[in-house]
Amino acid sequence: MDNNREKLMTIQEASEWASVYLDREVTTSNISYLIQYGRIRKMENNGNTQVSKMDLIKYYESYLGKREISWKKQLGNDLNWGLSFDHLREADTTKHVHRLHPYKGKFIPQLVEYFLDDHIDDYKGEVYFDRGDIVLDPFCGSGTTLVQANELGIHAIGIDISEFNTFISNAKIGRYDIQDIRYETNRILKVLNEMAKSSNIIKFEDELSTLLSEFNNKYFPSPEYKRRVRNKEIDGKKYGEEKEKEFLSIYYGLIDKYGIKLKQDSDKTFLDKWYIKNVRQEIDMAFDLIRNIENIQTKKISSSNSK
Ligand SMILES: C[S@@+](CC[C@H](N)C(=O)[O-])C[C@H]1O[C@@H](n2cnc3c(N)ncnc32)[C@H](O)[C@@H]1O
């Protein structure tokens, strides 16, 4: 009998086993993700979650190598699979400032590094940039090229048609005074804490999230619920609508209990109309903080100009 078929592992054991099996780091949250999305079964043993080694092997075998083979078919043997950086974790591809905004269209920084740095290999036969050179990225998006060039001592110019993307790029490459940042961060935290203390919103959100998770565990247990919908034992749409109505009465009960104001007195602007009072207050606070930071910067620039 196949040993693997019987072998059950805790999530921690599964992450350690899979890291060796795949020869790359597989975290416990990677394993939990597979359970959550119904890719592998969730087993219970004395209240502990376990997974089957066989399920994991089946899942990884169905995935492993398939992407490479399929791209090779489309692009031929010129394909340098190493440059897919398929082995990297999300934490590596969003390292340091690349996590500041979850910009979905960005390059993998390691890919940019590969072309900017001074190594050569079978595929990259020459070095394209030296320290002090200037690289131009005319579609710089969230600024990956600019940041990586900066790291390697290469100057960089970025252009982008989207103002928001240039804002992200500038935030990632700007020079900051650490004292200012510390001061502003503390001030923001203080204002946020005071705001949180003076409102019921945190207690409301805590109780809402507890009740919601109890409700979901009872009526939408994962992954059994997904499997039952897939097997057509449950009509997901009808069942979902019934349960939504049921939960709404719990939700409105909490709104009353904590005195949460859902509608603004005015509905003149988009923000007035669509945001509850507490969120509206947070947005106003964010604008106040930004205005304050801009004032400090303007004062600094004019005082350094007058020197
Ligand atoms: C795929 S994104 C580039 C992402 C970038 N490599 C990064 O790592 O964040 C393409 C960018 O091209 C910009 N773009 C599109 N048309 C443009 C144009 N005519 N002039 C300048 N930028 C343009 C878009 O706004 C978008 O930010």
Side-chain angles (χ1 to χ4, degrees), residues 122-188:
D122 288 348
Y123 188 76
K124 182 183 157 195
E126 58 181 298
V127 176
Y128 304 112
F129 297 95
D130 289 322
R131 284 180 80 81
D133 279 353
I134 306 174
V135 58
L136 169 70
D137 186 347
F139 307 97
C140 69
S142 67
T144 317
T145 309
L146 317 181
V147 173
Q148 294 314 122
N150 234 289
E151 242 185 29
L152 294 164
I154 298 168
H155 300 291
I157 299 172
I159 301 168
D160 203 286
I161 200 166
S162 150
E163 188 170 351
F164 184 68
N165 291 354
T166 61
F167 174 73
I168 305 175
S169 288
N170 281 328
K172 282 169 152 187
I173 54 168
R175 281 182 198 280
Y176 299 96
D177 181 331
I178 291 293
Q179 295 277 43
D180 277 354
I181 293 196
R182 220 170 263 144
Y183 174 80
E184 282 305 322
T185 312
N186 288 336
R187 203 168 63 83
I188 291 169

Side-chain angles (χ1 to χ4, degrees), residues 2 7 9 34 38 40 45 68 99-100 127 129 138 145 163 210 282 285 291 294 296:
D2 184 347
K7 175 100 173 124
M9 297 181 283
L34 296 180
I40 56 173
N45 184 6
E68 183 175 359
R99 187 172 274 282
L100 276 183
V127 176
F129 297 95
T145 309
E163 188 170 351
T210 309
E282 285 171 23
M285 182 204 78
R291 261 191 297 275
E294 282 170 353
I296 295 174

Side-chain angles (χ1 to χ4, degrees), residues 268-301:
K268 280 200 190 108
T269 69
F270 180 83
L271 293 182
D272 289 337
K273 195 166 173 186
W274 294 108
Y275 287 87
I276 66 169
K277 186 172 145 231
N278 301 74
V279 177
R280 184 69 226 261
Q281 277 175 341
E282 285 171 23
I283 295 172
D284 287 343
M285 182 204 78
F287 280 122
D288 275 353
L289 291 167
I290 292 169
R291 261 191 297 275
N292 195 43
I293 294 169
E294 282 170 353
N295 285 343
I296 295 174
Q297 278 173 347
T298 317
K299 269 190 212 147
K300 276 195 163 177
I301 293 169

Side-chain angles (χ1 to χ4, degrees), residues 227-235:
R227 213 170 277 128
R228 290 182 70 193
V229 171
R230 219 177 288 139
N231 294 341
K232 303 218 173 3
E233 288 166 39
I234 293 179
D235 174 347

Side-chain angles (χ1 to χ4, degrees), residues 41 53 74-75 238:
R41 285 169 302 160
K53 189 171 179 181
Q74 294 176 55
L75 300 175
K238 201 166 149 237

